[in-house]
Structure formats: structure tokens, C-alpha cells
């Protein structure tokens, strides 16, 4: 188990509390500015070298690229050249997984994540993060990588909650975490390039709490 500075560990507990009480959590400054900067540089370098590919929606025979619905470009972390910053991010996610399992008994056993870049004009229409044929994605995590983001730049994450709408600014170092199957969300049209790491904790298929 990696050791984490207290602020990061505190933030894991706050996320667990928020998920239990309302199903979503936003933690500005969860990632150190050094880590967010290295990840941001990695994402933008992939983008500039044409190593990101248009994201598709659906699964299997229904898989399709539909930029009007989803306009980002992605690459799985597993498929990127290894980098210390990426390992550090995965270690942080491992710590979060452990805290969520201890606090909420979610039975999370794996984490998959990809870089995502939304060019100006791109967004992602309202959706849930769980596939009909594969119900294992349980907790979604987005780490934002935009050092220069300012109001008016667009690309907010919009949560559609029973209580109303919540917009989250995609600022570098912020983590947004939510229950994949419960929280309807969308990415508002980006006015400027918008970089992030989007990931999902998957649960063990045999977790009895989810039958
Ligand atoms: C997704 C998604 C949200 C965001 O990729 O499924 O909803 O803020 N991303 O990038
Ligand atoms: Mn989503």
C-alpha cells in the first residue's frame, strides 16, 4: 500500500462520505500541481502527435463515432508510453479504491482509465457511464488537466441531479467522482482544448450487494 500525504488521504475519506450521502463528490486540488502538470503535458503531447483517436459510443456491433454526441479523442493509459506521472496517478487511484472498499464495501477490484482531449466545439451529451451489457463499472473518476481554465472557456462537467444542475469547472488538479450508474451527466461544449483523465473502478462480478 503506497503512503500518501495527509491531504490526499483526507480527500479519499471526503469522497467516500460524499458518495455514501449523495452519490457524487468534487475535490479541487486533489492532485498536486506537479502531478497535474505532468499529466497535462503527457495528454497534450499525445494529442499533438496524433496518438489520440476519436472516441466511440456504444458497444460491439453498435459501436460508432458520432461527434454530435461525443467529440473527444482518447487513449487508454495502458496503451501509452510508460511515465512516472502515470504510475503516480495509478497509485493515487489505488489508494482511493482501498478507501472506497473499506468505507462502502463496493468490492472494487480494477481501474481502467484513458486520457481524453476535447478540441474546441466538442462536448459529450447527457449519459450514464454504465453499459447495458456490462454492469461492472461502478465509480467514475475524472481528473482535470487544464492549468489555464477560466470561466467562459466552457467544457464544464454538468451533473443532472434530482435537486437540479451542478456544473463542475475542469480545472487542473480537480477530481470529480460519481456513481457510474446513478448520476446523469454531460460535458458542455468546450471553447478551448480541454484535457482530462477519465476512469472507472469496476466491481467484482460476484459482489452480492449488486445482485
Ligand atoms: C465520460 C465523461 C466527463 C468529463 O468520458 O464518460 O462523462 O468531465 N466525462 O470529462
Ligand atoms: Mn460519462
Amino acid at each position: 500500500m503506497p503512503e500518501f500525504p495527509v491531504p490526499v488521504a483526507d480527500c479519499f475519506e471526503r469522497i467516500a462520505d460524499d458518495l455514501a450521502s449523495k452519490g457524487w463528490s468534487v475535490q479541487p486540488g486533489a492532485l498536486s500541481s506537479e502531478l497535474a502538470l505532468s499529466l497535462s503535458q503527457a495528454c497534450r503531447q499525445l494529442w499533438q502527435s496524433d496518438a489520440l483517436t476519436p472516441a466511440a459510443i456504444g458497444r460491439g456491433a453498435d459501436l460508432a463515432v458520432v461527434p454530435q454526441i461525443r467529440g473527444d479523442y482518447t487513449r487508454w493509459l495502458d496503451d501509452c508510453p510508460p511515465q512516472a506521472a502515470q504510475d503516480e496517478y495509478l497509485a493515487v487511484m489505488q489508494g482511493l479504491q482501498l478507501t472506497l472498499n473499506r468505507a462502502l464495501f463496493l468490492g472494487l477490484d480494477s481501474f481502467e482509465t484513458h486520457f481524453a482531449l476535447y478540441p474546441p466545439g466538442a462536448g459529450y451529451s447527457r449519459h450514464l457511464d454504465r453499459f447495458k451489457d456490462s454492469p461492472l463499472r461502478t465509480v467514475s473518476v475524472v481528473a482535470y488537466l487544464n492549468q489555464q481554465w477560466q470561466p467562459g472557456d466552457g467544457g464544464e462537467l454538468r451533473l443532472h441531479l434530482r435537486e437540479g444542475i451542478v456544473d463542475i469547472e475542469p480545472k487542473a488538479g480537480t477530481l470529480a467522482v460519481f456513481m457510474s450508474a446513478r448520476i446523469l451527466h454531460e460535458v458542455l461544449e468546450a471553447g478551448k482544448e480541454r484535457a482530462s483523465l477519465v476512469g472507472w473502478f469496476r466491481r467484482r462480478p460476484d459482489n452480492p450487494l449488486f445482485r
Side-chain angles (χ1 to χ4, degrees), residues 27 30-31 35-36 39-40 43 89 93 111 113-116 140-146 169-177 194-199:
Q27 302 295 329
L31 301 185
L35 179 56
L39 294 170
S40 161
C43 185
Y89 181 69
M93 289 299 114
F111 182 67
T113 189
H114 62 61
F115 282 112
S140 306
V141 183
V142 192
Y144 296 105
L145 306 175
N146 305 293
E169 300 179 340
K171 282 186 183 165
T174 296
L175 276 189
V177 186
R194 173 206 199 258
S196 64
L197 268 168
V198 187

Side-chain angles (χ1 to χ4, degrees), residues 70 118 124 127 129 142 144 157 185 187 194 196 198 200:
R70 175 174 189 187
Y118 289 72
Y124 191 162
H127 66 280
D129 276 353
V142 192
Y144 296 105
L157 169 64
H185 59 282
V187 177
R194 173 206 199 258
S196 64
V198 187
W200 296 273

Side-chain angles (χ1 to χ4, degrees), residues 4 6 8 11 22 29 39 51 54 70-72 74 91 95 101 103 112 137 142 149 154 191 195 200 205:
F4 295 105
V6 171
V8 185
C11 148
K22 56 183 186 172
L39 294 170
R70 175 174 189 187
D72 59 330
T74 66
N101 280 340
E112 50 182 0
R137 283 183 173 178
V142 192
W149 192 90
W200 296 273

Side-chain angles (χ1 to χ4, degrees), residues 64-92:
V65 173
V66 187
Q68 297 84 347
I69 296 180
R70 175 174 189 187
D72 59 330
Y73 290 70
T74 66
R75 188 174 201 96
W76 292 104
L77 215 63
D78 283 353
D79 192 28
C80 294
Q83 277 201 339
Q86 291 165 197
D87 289 346
E88 187 180 339
Y89 181 69
L90 292 175
V92 172

